[in-house]
Amino acid sequence: MPSHVHEDPLAFLRPSENTERFLAHLIDLIVINMIQVPLIILLFVQQSLMNIVIASSIATLTFILYFTLLEGIFSTTIGKRALDLKVISLNGMCSPSLRESFLRNTFRLADILVLYLPLFLMKGGRRIGDLLANTAVVSKKFVRIELPPPGSGLRKEIGESIVKALSLRLESLDIKPQGVPRAEIREYVARILGEGEELVDRVAYFISNPSLQLMTLGAEGIAEIYERASELCSGECSEILRNRARIIRALYKKAERREKIGFSWGRGFKRLSPYFLLSIALFLISSILAYYLKPDWMESLTKEIFGKDVIPSEESPLTLSTVIFLNNLRVVLATLGLAPLIFMPFVTLTVNGFLVGFVLSISSDPAKALLLILPHGVPELSSIFLSTAVGIRVSRYMLDSKKWPRAREAAMESVDLMILSFIILLYAAFIEGFVTRWISNYPALDIAFSIAEAVIIYLILRSSPSSSRDLTS
């Protein structure tokens, strides 16, 4: 590949301003709070640990679902729409799919923790979620013909190509200046076109009036100007102009590809297997250490947590299952969403391993305690191991900027696995609510049931079902 060719179409472009994005995000946060605050207040009226768990889970899920569904279906949110911003996929140069939107907004958790600093540091004004989902936020202000500021020889070449392409197009349009063009733009154009005062005035006036550009040419016509300008130069100049044309078209293009949904995790799990085994090993090591070391701080923490009636005993199995599912789903999403910051998968594994090991160590009957954990623990931990394995794999590639495309591939490949892990979590919550206490009274059946669960989950993860359905992105 020639040295001047860049895989990143935003390497020299910034399709939206940070100020616009922050204002849009502020509006979205207000909308999200309007949705979830009444429910959270209602939960806190009767203060209990169970209500705190439910409230924190609802807050996380509402946040992710709001952005995922609106951007995946409409390519924008309420806040972005107010600021004329849209999300596009750089994979197909069209609106994002639900998969891309899910990745973009799950990894938003990592962006929040670092205060959105990547927006200021990354090329094209993209955050971590944009990099891993290969998306970008584009302002409708980007749909205009504009000249680059004076500077390098590359900027000069870009400006000359745009002016020449536009002058050729205006020859076929009857546009007469209705006012005085901006002086600096007219001077810029005059240096390129030289003689022909009337043409200079027309080109300068047209560039000075974005609304006239849209009314006369439309978005497609503006994209054609950039496309034609790209043919008048070469190398980086041609690439930048062509990419701008593609991004403008993507802003108005619906995804045409058809996506197969939800049944292709086999190959992804095969690549994920080493990280899955690493997750199991780290969990077991943490459990064993906690079991034998019995640190004092863990004893006080465990008594603080488990000494409280998290879910009152009078609650129905359905309530128990619902609360457990919401809490575990929040943990899995947080583990995945914070994975780019490297530490989160290891924190999740260590904390869960220490808790399980320590609870067993202080139990008067460890064998009985283990039987109470196994039936729901096998699927629940399988789901957690999937999320930590994905997190470790993605963060490993992100340590080297040259491997970010592989991180993006690993993240996209994980979507089906994460959907499967959510289903496994739902099953685990059902087992814990309706089955665990009963089956723990029959040790042989408990162990056989748990082994069967582990085998079935492994076979499902290794499978590559052929049945699938198409869904337009």
Side-chain angles (χ1 to χ4, degrees):
M1 180 178 291
S3 60
H4 64 267
V5 176
H6 296 266
E7 294 181 0
D8 184 2
L10 296 183
F12 299 94
L13 297 170
R14 195 174 190 88
S16 59
E17 296 299 327
N18 289 337
T19 304
E20 296 175 312
R21 295 183 65 174
F22 276 115
L23 287 174
H25 192 58
L26 181 62
I27 294 172
D28 286 325
L29 290 179
I30 292 172
V31 173
I32 292 171
N33 284 328
M34 290 173 63
I35 295 171
Q36 65 186 14
V37 164
L39 179 58
I40 292 175
I41 291 175
L42 185 63
L43 290 170
F44 274 107
V45 168
Q46 296 181 332
Q47 291 188 0
S48 70
L49 197 53
M50 183 182 77
N51 284 350
I52 293 174
V53 169
I54 295 174
S56 61
S57 299
I58 288 176
T60 304
L61 296 176
T62 304
F63 183 82
I64 293 176
L65 281 175
Y66 171 85
F67 287 103
T68 296
L69 294 178
L70 289 182
E71 292 179 0
I73 297 172
F74 303 107
S75 304
T76 191
T77 61
I78 294 172
K80 288 184 177 68
R81 186 178 181 84
L83 273 294
D84 282 333
L85 300 172
K86 288 185 72 175
V87 180
I88 66 166
S89 165
L90 299 177
N91 294 314
M93 284 296 175
C94 55
S95 57
S97 66
L98 280 170
R99 271 183 171 84
E100 291 163 334
S101 182
F102 169 75
L103 284 178
R104 181 178 193 275
N105 292 296
T106 301
F107 290 121
R108 185 186 288 272
L109 299 178
D111 288 295
I112 291 173
L113 206 61
V114 296
L115 304 177
Y116 287 100
L117 285 178
L119 276 176
F120 300 93
L121 303 175
M122 300 293 184
K123 293 178 180 178
R126 285 187 289 173
R127 55 180 182 80
I128 295 171
D130 286 316
L131 289 170
L132 289 172
N134 206 23
T135 56
V137 176
V138 183
S139 170
K140 290 188 177 179
K141 294 178 183 177
F142 192 69
V143 186
R144 59 183 295 180
I145 300 168
E146 59 183 346
L147 301 174
S152 64
L154 176 60
R155 290 181 177 180
K156 181 180 178 182
E157 188 178 8
I158 291 172
E160 289 178 353
S161 300
I162 292 172
V163 169
K164 290 176 182 178
L166 180 58
S167 65
L168 291 172
R169 182 69 179 89
L170 290 182
E171 288 178 0
S172 60
L173 295 175
D174 184 21
I175 294 177
K176 295 181 180 179
Q178 301 298 315
V180 179
R182 290 167 53 186
E184 66 274 18
I185 292 179
R186 191 188 187 288
E187 183 181 348
Y188 192 112
V189 173
R191 285 200 305 266
I192 296 170
L193 296 181
E195 298 179 2
E197 186 172 326
E198 181 183 350
L199 181 58
V200 169
D201 285 340
R202 290 174 66 197
V203 171
Y205 177 75
F206 198 77
I207 294 175
S208 301
N209 290 272
S211 57
L212 178 63
Q213 296 171 17
L214 273 173
M215 183 175 63
T216 307
L217 299 177
E220 179 58 32
I222 292 173
E224 288 176 1
I225 296 295
Y226 282 109
E227 193 77 49
R228 181 174 295 185
S230 72
E231 298 170 358
L232 300 176
C233 59
S234 60
E236 288 181 342
C237 171
S238 178
E239 182 189 356
I240 293 168
L241 292 168
R242 188 177 297 109
N243 282 334
R244 179 147 188 171
R246 293 172 65 207
I247 292 169
I248 290 172
R249 290 189 175 110
L251 196 60
Y252 298 93
K253 180 183 177 184
K254 294 293 183 182
E256 295 177 354
R257 62 191 186 282
R258 296 183 69 81
E259 236 183 352
K260 291 190 173 182
I261 296 297
F263 301 103
S264 56
W265 55 73
R267 187 177 64 175
F269 180 71
K270 186 176 180 180
R271 296 182 181 178
L272 199 66
S273 294
Y275 305 95
F276 188 82
L277 294 174
L278 175 61
S279 296
I280 295 175
L282 291 173
F283 173 83
L284 290 176
I285 291 170
S286 300
S287 298
I288 293 169
L289 286 174
Y291 185 84
Y292 286 105
L293 295 179
K294 300 180 183 178
D296 294 337
W297 65 269
M298 280 243 31
E299 183 172 1
S300 59
L301 177 63
T302 304
K303 287 180 179 179
E304 176 67 19
I305 295 175
F306 293 97
K308 296 181 178 180
D309 197 7
V310 179
I311 303 177
S313 56
E314 66 269 15
E315 295 292 347
S316 68
L318 180 60
T319 300
L320 173 64
S321 296
T322 302
V323 174
I324 290 169
F325 174 69
L326 288 174
N327 181 63
N328 289 335
L329 185 58
R330 174 179 56 82
V331 171
V332 166
L333 286 171
T335 300
L336 180 64
L338 295 173
L341 304 183
I342 303 173
F343 68 87
M344 191 60 190
F346 300 100
V347 170
T348 300
L349 290 169
T350 304
V351 169
N352 279 277
F354 264 67
L355 283 175
V356 170
F358 193 79
V359 167
L360 291 177
S361 73
I362 62 175
S363 173
S364 57
D365 187 352
K368 177 66 175 177
L370 185 61
L371 290 175
L372 280 167
I373 292 174
L374 278 177
H376 63 271
V378 168
E380 187 177 300
L381 288 172
S382 297
S383 180
I384 290 175
F385 293 154
L386 280 174
S387 66
T388 55
V390 170
I392 294 171
R393 185 184 179 202
V394 170
S395 60
R396 176 203 166 192
Y397 291 136
M398 289 198 71
L399 289 173
D400 184 353
S401 60
K402 295 179 181 178
K403 293 184 178 180
W404 282 355
R406 296 187 67 181
R408 184 180 302 135
E409 179 186 355
M412 187 60 68
E413 201 173 57
S414 73
V415 176
D416 287 351
L417 281 168
M418 295 315 302
I419 293 173
L420 178 61
S421 78
F422 300 156
I423 296 172
I424 294 174
L425 274 184
L426 185 61
Y427 164 79
F430 172 82
I431 294 298
E432 188 167 1
F434 290 88
V435 177
T436 291
R437 290 189 180 276
W438 169 78
I439 204 172
S440 65
N441 294 316
Y442 307 93
L445 180 60
D446 188 303
I447 294 171
F449 181 80
S450 301
I451 292 173
E453 283 182 316
V455 171
I456 292 172
I457 289 172
Y458 176 75
L459 291 176
I460 291 173
L461 289 172
R462 292 284 296 179
S463 66
S464 296
S466 57
S467 61
S468 61
R469 62 189 181 90
D470 288 339
L471 181 68
T472 302
S473 302

